[in-house]
Amino acid sequence: MTSERLECVGVLTAGGDCPGLNAVIRAFVKAAEKLYDWRILGFADGYEGLLDDSVPRELTAESVRGILPRGGTILGTSNRSNPFAVRRMVDGELRVTDESERAVAKLREHGIGALVVIGGDGSMAIGIRFQREYGIPIVGVPKTIDNDLACTDVTFGFDTAVATATDAIDKLHSTAESHHRVMILEVMGRNAGWIALEAGLAGGGDIILIPEIPFSVDRIAADIEERGRQGRHFSIIVVAEGAFPLGGEPITTMRVGPDGFPRLGGIGVWLAEQLSQRVKYEVRATVLGHLQRGGSPSPFDRVLASRLGTEAALLVGHGDFGKMVAVQGTGIVPVPIEDVVGVNKNVPPSGDRVMTARYLGISFGD
Ligand code: F6P
């Protein structure tokens, strides 16, 4: 499809929210209005808005005014909705049905000639199916605070999440030192430990636990006692929610959540109990949770989101569909969405950040 024939573009934000979503929407709309003459329609609540009876809202430079510093997404989002696999409880039983035809009918009813999906791995997987199976042209914009999307060096929202986690570590430091305690901070990071690693480095943590490096509780206890022998009677542990002990598994609060995935959480409290039995210090756990996803995006994330939103408009304008705008080096490039889907960008266990941490004396509990 060429830009001449394109009249109306749809936009949606899907999956867990992330600081910078509004900055992407704003940049896309403003750039598109400057360069092209499309009508832009925003669908509500991610893919849910393709299935429910909500009316998509028209987005103009005027209507997106003032949203740059706002957290969340003005369009709303959902991380349960997949038109290809709609999950419903019928008579106490889970039924999964393919309702993608209904979603496509809604897109066609509104004259959508291309759809911009701002989302993570799961959202990209759904988006590319609409292109492959129904010929709906798709452009993707990568989003996750976890920073674990493949093919892009970084995702917006990550910098803000790291800043929030670093602030929490700074605050835990003073109380840990005063009380001679071990303080555990549990941060997000399902499959990858980027937030734990970067916040742990930035906040001067003593022990960082990430899914990429399974840990030993005995090793961590030995490290804490060793710090004590060196006169440091407190320790800060930063643990990613997806971290797990050698031979063990990540801890979940729900084995299968409403979105079909396990809900992670609880490693901090579990570890506190384990360590309490092994070290002479008192141990406390703090779960940072969704504070990491909320609030105003950092200046870095505002700029990155604005660049990605603008590049997405250019990609649509060039008719370069089936691509996601990605950060590579100092530039932004289009990458095939097919290359992104199902691939997790993990922390390299021998990469320079992990090695920097090790040279600084930080333990990974291994
Ligand atoms: O994928 C981003 C993420 O922040 C994960 O780190 C976390 O496990 C998940 O979202 C939490 O999702 P929910 O808000 O659905 O509990």
Side-chain angles (χ1 to χ4, degrees), residues 16-17 79 143-146 148 187-191 195 241 259 262-264 290 293:
D17 72 345
N79 51 1
K143 170 245 50 157
T144 166
I145 65 160
D146 289 1
D148 60 354
V187 298
M188 282 187 173
R190 289 188 76 80
N191 306 305
I195 297 177
E241 62 185 348
D259 51 4
R263 187 171 295 166
L264 297 185
H290 292 79
R293 289 227 307 245

Side-chain angles (χ1 to χ4, degrees), residues 229-240:
R229 280 191 290 280
Q230 292 169 8
R232 293 195 289 277
H233 297 288
F234 72 95
S235 293
I236 301 287
I237 302 177
V238 188
V239 57

Side-chain angles (χ1 to χ4, degrees), residues 197 201 208 352-364:
L197 178 57
L201 275 167
I208 298 174
D352 75 279
R353 283 175 179 80
V354 171
M355 293 319 291
T356 296
R358 289 196 194 275
Y359 291 134
L360 288 170
I362 296 171
S363 162
F364 286 85

Side-chain angles (χ1 to χ4, degrees), residues 4-63:
E4 287 82 52
R5 284 192 286 131
L6 186 59
E7 283 176 7
C8 186
V9 180
V11 180
L12 57 81
T13 52
D17 72 345
C18 185
L21 282 167
N22 285 326
V24 175
I25 297 167
R26 170 182 174 270
F28 178 80
V29 171
K30 290 188 84 163
E33 205 168 287
K34 209 173 215 15
L35 297 167
Y36 310 101
D37 57 356
W38 314 319
R39 186 167 181 240
I40 303 173
L41 293 180
F43 287 84
D45 301 337
Y47 288 109
E48 195 59 36
L50 304 188
L51 294 172
D52 62 19
D53 53 10
S54 63
V55 179
R57 64 195 265 195
E58 185 143 3
L59 298 172
T60 61
E62 184 57 32
S63 73

Side-chain angles (χ1 to χ4, degrees), residues 18-23 65-74 295-297 302:
C18 185
L21 282 167
N22 285 326
R65 193 198 284 257
I67 66 173
L68 173 64
R70 277 171 58 187
T73 159
I74 57 162
S296 184
R302 293 181 198 190

Side-chain angles (χ1 to χ4, degrees), residues 107-178:
L107 287 169
R108 299 226 158 103
E109 178 201 334
H110 290 283
I112 300 298
L115 181 66
V116 175
V117 173
I118 311 170
D121 179 50
S123 311
M124 292 300 149
I126 296 168
I128 201 63
R129 282 190 73 178
F130 278 115
Q131 175 163 316
R132 216 172 37 226
E133 296 174 31
Y134 294 99
I136 307 282
I138 300 289
V139 160
V141 179
K143 170 245 50 157
T144 166
I145 65 160
D146 289 1
N147 194 34
D148 60 354
L149 258 187
C151 302
T152 186
D153 294 350
V154 66
T155 48
F156 69 85
F158 172 63
D159 183 68
T160 307
V162 169
T164 301
T166 303
D167 181 51
I169 296 170
D170 287 348
K171 287 176 173 149
L172 288 174
H173 246 118
S174 56
T175 176
E177 203 164 355
S178 306

